[in-house]
Amino acid sequence: MSAPGKASSAPHDAGALRSLLPVLGAHRATVLRTCLAALVDQTALVALVTLAAHTVGTAVIEHRAPSPTTVAVLIGLVLLRALATWREMDLSHDLAYRVLAELRVRVFDGLARSAPARIAGRRSGDLAATALGDVEALEFFYAHAIAQLLASGLVFAVAAALLGVLGPWLLLAVVPAALLLLWSPLLEARGRAERGARTRAALADLSAESVESVDGLRELLMAGALDRTRARLRSGGRRLARAQRAEQSWETGAGAARDLLVVGAVIGVVAAAAHAAGGGRLDGAWAPAAMALALGALAPVAESAAALGRAGSLRAAA
């Protein structure tokens, strides 16, 4: 665990995140099942939106109702995705909470071996609140980031290959957008890690101050220091609010930028598909399917970029 309020260098933080992966060694079977469930979930979603778009395109352009087989496949994909989503959430959170329980034991063991009340000038309560807060922050990394990244990479590769079969020019709109989506969280990784560290440090300080104030309430009353303690708590609350606003504002802006990239790529696919359909190179019913396929391929990449961004903000916690 890192010291709160102190940003580490990017290579050190990245190494800290990688150091979290060996903890999964004792849970290889659960990790594999989680990744498989995430892959089925994302694949079913992409297949569902693509087939639905093709079905609607066929009905509108060719005035042909979907066959019973198509309807059955659509219903099957809806049910499959619902089941896979539930299974992935169940497995991923079971995995995350098991790993976090192991990390908490390690934290307590480390604090128990550190006998002095103050370690490196910091109160033991402050250190415990910081360490345990960092452990809780890592829940997202274990529950979502790993399986989502692996599944979205495979889904995008298959979807891009299908788009290339439909029309290589469609990739000109999709691949650059995907690369920008994956590059965007790396662009501001250091700043995101610093903002995350400031938020966790402020939260840990406020938590430790609150606990110690309650424990020492009698002494504070006897010393007449209750007003000063209240002032420190108010100041800590304002500091935490500023740190949280800064972090949330950045994440909101980053999410809007990712959405704009996805929308821009889909508009590019629409233009390319319209041009191809007009030239007779893309069947009319497959034009909307290509748009849906592009959206289905980019949506998991955008979610993975968001997961990478959140993982970057957790590097200090690692």
Side-chain angles (χ1 to χ4, degrees):
M1 300 294 172
S2 63
K6 189 173 183 179
S8 305
S9 63
H12 174 75
D13 290 339
L17 264 185
R18 286 194 297 269
S19 71
L20 298 175
L21 297 178
V23 185
L24 299 172
H27 308 276
R28 290 188 183 91
T30 305
V31 171
L32 181 60
R33 288 196 296 267
T34 303
C35 293
L36 181 60
L39 180 61
V40 173
D41 177 25
Q42 295 188 18
T43 302
L45 177 61
V46 175
L48 176 62
V49 297
T50 303
L51 180 58
H54 183 268
T55 302
V56 172
T58 301
V60 172
I61 297 172
E62 301 179 6
H63 305 288
R64 180 157 48 91
S67 65
T69 301
T70 301
V71 174
V73 172
L74 287 172
I75 295 174
L77 287 173
V78 171
L79 297 176
L80 176 62
R81 205 223 164 192
L83 179 62
T85 300
W86 169 81
R87 185 61 174 162
E88 190 270 334
M89 294 294 288
D90 180 50
L91 288 171
S92 63
H93 285 86
D94 177 69
L95 171 65
Y97 292 132
R98 288 179 186 274
V99 172
L100 293 186
E102 296 177 11
L103 291 179
R104 289 190 198 97
V105 172
R106 297 186 185 189
V107 169
F108 277 116
D109 288 343
L111 291 175
R113 290 193 298 269
S114 305
R118 287 178 176 266
I119 306 170
R122 299 189 62 83
R123 298 168 295 186
S124 57
D126 195 353
L127 286 171
T130 301
L132 293 177
D134 285 350
V135 169
E136 293 300 323
L138 295 174
E139 183 268 341
F140 175 84
F141 177 78
Y142 288 114
H144 301 284
I146 299 174
Q148 188 177 57
L149 288 172
L150 293 175
S152 63
L154 290 174
V155 169
F156 178 79
V158 174
L162 291 176
L163 284 172
V165 171
L166 290 176
W169 55 89
L170 299 175
L171 297 178
L172 296 178
V174 174
V175 173
L179 294 177
L180 286 173
L181 284 171
L182 292 177
W183 176 71
S184 60
L186 305 177
L187 179 64
E188 232 281 311
R190 186 181 183 88
R192 182 178 275 109
E194 291 174 353
R195 283 186 293 273
R198 282 197 295 269
T199 299
R200 283 187 298 277
L203 179 59
D205 289 342
L206 183 60
S207 176
E209 185 72 41
S210 301
V211 171
E212 294 185 4
S213 298
V214 172
D215 289 342
L217 185 58
R218 179 179 299 179
E219 290 78 6
L220 291 173
L221 288 171
M222 293 175 60
L226 191 57
D227 289 338
R228 291 196 299 272
T229 300
R230 287 172 175 168
R232 286 199 302 271
L233 289 173
R234 284 194 295 267
S235 176
R238 288 192 293 269
R239 187 165 58 252
L240 175 60
R242 288 194 298 269
Q244 288 176 329
R245 277 198 303 270
E247 191 172 14
Q248 290 301 318
S249 297
W250 177 267
E251 293 303 327
T252 300
R258 288 192 297 269
D259 291 342
L260 287 175
L261 277 175
V262 173
V263 170
V266 172
I267 291 175
V269 170
V270 169
H275 176 73
R281 291 174 292 174
L282 187 63
D283 180 72
W286 279 107
M291 304 170 202
L293 181 59
L295 180 60
L298 287 174
V301 176
E303 293 179 2
S304 296
L308 281 174
R310 288 196 61 179
S313 68
L314 297 177
R315 289 185 303 174

